[in-house]
């Protein structure tokens, strides 16, 4: 008891604080997301995400090279599709010349030593902006959507994608995708499942980034994404995806669901990634720009919290900012 025990002894100087620190954030923990669009020499800033832009493939290249040089091991790619190429079925998702397939091929040819993950979901490609195809009742049809997702995942693998990341929350898709990949000899293609993805307001800026707000306004995805009142349900989702053959798990959003990240890492043997989503990034950026706090300090604190909760890696739009500071 006090005074023999004084907790402040181990906090008295930077060197002792570093020595006893339980968690350390490293560049190799971070995954950097990029938005890729058509065109040449395009750098199109995303208004709601200061510091983030949509890049054409030629402009994306040096960004990815820089990420690799900073020690980042993987990037996540998201396509921005022209409205004229969207339809009710999201057919462009299955076109082998779409922007995402061309980006993967170009990146793999020039920068083979950084991993690429790509979303499996139809929302960038559908005219109604939902993650799947709609049934006659107007809701996303699970099994019809799965047929598309399986083909989309196979196409991404054929394009050279290291990891496919189903972010659609359809039931059964992990097992179906795994079976198809095996059947076609893609034994090494990883499946990083968005296992627990909540219906969240925090995706707002992302939907501006991929222009689904422009095309569809506010969208309610509550019949497929999870209810934020639940956490036992997240465990059930995780255990199913594990059994179906997922290699890694994503919990998303991050900061509002730290309890879920912690719980999942206690119950699953798979590596868990936290996704610090667009709205979390935007909140920190905007607050810092108003003088509420220092951006770098607040960001490193937020990302370290994911490691403390048990996450093995973190997807964050600040990955390059933070890696260059570390
Ligand atoms: C689409 C998808 C979304 C995000 C990643 N993939 C948005 C959504 O589900 O509406 C959100 C990422 C972010 O907000 O940073 N399947």
């Amino acid at each position: 008891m006090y005074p023999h025990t004084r907790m402040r002894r181990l906090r008295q100087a930077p060197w002792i604080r570093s020595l006893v620190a339980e968690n350390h954030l490293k560049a190799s923990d971070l995954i950097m997301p990029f938005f890729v669009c058509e065109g040449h020499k395009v750098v199109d800033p995303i208004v709601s995400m200061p510091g983030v832009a949509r890049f054409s493939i030629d402009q994306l290249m040096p960004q990815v090279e820089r990420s690799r040089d900073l020690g980042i091991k993987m990037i996540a790619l998201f396509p921005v599709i022209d409205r004229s190429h969207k339809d009710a079925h999201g057919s462009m998702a299955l076109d082998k010349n779409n922007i995402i397939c061309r980006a993967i091929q170009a990146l793999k040819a020039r920068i083979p030593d950084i991993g690429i993950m790509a979303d499996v979901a139809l929302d960038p490609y559908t005219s109604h902006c939902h993650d799947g195809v709609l049934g006659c009742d107007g809701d996303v049809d699970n099994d019809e959507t799965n047929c598309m997702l399986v083909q989309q995942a196979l196409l991404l693998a054929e394009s050279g994608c290291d990891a496919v990341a189903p972010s659609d929350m359809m039931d059964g898709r992990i097992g179906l995708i795994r079976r198809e990949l095996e059947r076609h000899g893609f034994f090494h293609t990883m499946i990083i499942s968005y296992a627990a993805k909540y219906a969240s307001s925090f995706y707002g800026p992302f939907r501006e980034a991929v222009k689904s707000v422009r095309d569809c306004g506010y969208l309610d995805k509550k019949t497929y994404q999870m209810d934020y009142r639940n956490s036992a349900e997240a465990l059930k989702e995780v255990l199913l995806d594990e059994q179906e053959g997922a290699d890694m798990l994503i919990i998303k959003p991050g900061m509002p669901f730290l309890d879920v990240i912690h719980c999942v890492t206690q119950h699953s043997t798979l590596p868990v990634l936290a996704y610090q989503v667009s709205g979390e990034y935007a909140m920190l950026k905007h607050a810092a720009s108003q003088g509420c706090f220092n951006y770098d300090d607040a960001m490193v604190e937020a990302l370290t919290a994911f490691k403390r909760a048990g996450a093995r890696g973190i997807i964050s739009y600040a990955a390059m900012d933070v890696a260059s500071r570390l």
Side-chain angles (χ1 to χ4, degrees), residues 262-274:
H262 182 68
C263 176
V264 166
T265 56
Q266 299 290 302
H267 288 90
S268 173
T269 53
L270 296 184
V272 172
L273 304 178

Side-chain angles (χ1 to χ4, degrees), residues 32-38 42-46 48-49 51-57 59-60 63-64 75-81 99-100 103 119 123-124 203-211 275 277-278 281 317:
M32 178 73 201
F34 287 107
F35 297 100
V36 57
C37 63
E38 294 288 352
V42 180
V43 178
D44 182 15
I46 298 161
S48 56
M49 301 174 74
V52 181
R54 307 171 189 92
F55 295 111
S56 52
I57 293 177
Q59 297 297 305
L60 180 64
Q63 295 288 331
V64 175
I75 61 162
L77 284 183
F78 298 99
V80 182
I81 304 296
I99 184 73
I100 203 84
D119 254 35
D123 57 307
Y203 307 147
F206 177 95
R207 294 186 189 167
E208 186 219 320
V210 300
K211 303 202 173 171
Y275 197 146
V277 299
S278 56
Y281 170 86
Y317 301 94

Side-chain angles (χ1 to χ4, degrees), residues 196-203 225-231 233-234 250-265 272-277 280 305-306 309-311:
K197 174 171 177 177
Y198 287 86
S200 171
S201 297
F202 294 97
Y203 307 147
Q225 298 179 347
M226 283 181 56
D227 185 329
Y228 56 72
R229 291 172 291 193
N230 301 344
S231 60
E233 189 189 351
I250 297 175
I251 309 298
K252 172 188 181 183
M255 190 119 90
F257 297 91
L258 281 174
D259 58 324
V260 175
I261 296 170
H262 182 68
C263 176
V264 166
T265 56
V272 172
L273 304 178
Y275 197 146
Q276 184 193 48
V277 299
E280 298 175 64
F306 296 129

Side-chain angles (χ1 to χ4, degrees), residues 7 32 99 102 107 185 189 222 321 324:
M7 297 304 285
M32 178 73 201
I99 184 73
R102 278 183 283 126
L107 287 167
T189 305
K222 290 195 176 79
D321 292 347
S324 62

Side-chain angles (χ1 to χ4, degrees), residues 20 32 57 67 82 89 92 107 133 149 165-166 192 225 230 235 237 270 289 311:
V20 300
M32 178 73 201
I57 293 177
S67 303
D82 201 77
H89 279 83
M92 189 48 117
L107 287 167
V133 292
L149 298 176
I192 305 183
Q225 298 179 347
N230 301 344
L235 268 189
E237 285 281 6
L270 296 184
S289 75

